[in-house]
Amino acid sequence: MIELDEDWKTFYRMFPHSNGYIRFSRAGFNRAGDEAFVSTAWMSGSLSGEGRYILLRKNDGRWNIETSITTWVS
């Protein structure tokens, strides 16, 4: 854990105004191409963050969040 804390200190020295970082998986699409599924993660410290699965649906040419499920929290 100490090494991880040092990595976060380095991160915030490099990006002092950051709120952490966000990670997205590649999107998986249904056959019709009007639904997409992604996994996301937001981290802001060694014990601070959350992960989500997000289902998006395309309506009238715009993507909207249909469902968002929290998968983990630290």
Side-chain angles (χ1 to χ4, degrees):
M1 187 68 92
I2 292 171
E3 186 176 314
L4 189 56
D5 289 335
E6 289 301 317
D7 291 342
W8 278 107
K9 288 178 186 177
T10 300
F11 175 86
Y12 282 114
R13 274 195 300 275
M14 293 175 66
F15 307 101
H17 302 292
S18 175
N19 289 326
Y21 69 88
I22 299 172
R23 185 179 66 208
F24 293 91
S25 69
R26 290 183 178 197
F29 295 92
N30 67 348
R31 290 183 190 266
D34 61 355
E35 290 182 335
F37 182 81
V38 294
S39 173
T40 67
W42 165 72
M43 296 293 296
S44 63
S46 57
L47 293 174
S48 179
E50 73 174 25
R52 291 183 172 269
Y53 290 146
I54 299 174
L55 176 64
L56 301 141
R57 181 162 291 147
K58 192 174 188 179
N59 292 313
D60 297 324
R62 298 188 69 189
W63 288 98
N64 298 295
I65 295 173
E66 182 75 17
T67 306
S68 177
I69 300 170
T70 302
T71 57
W72 61 270
V73 177
S74 67

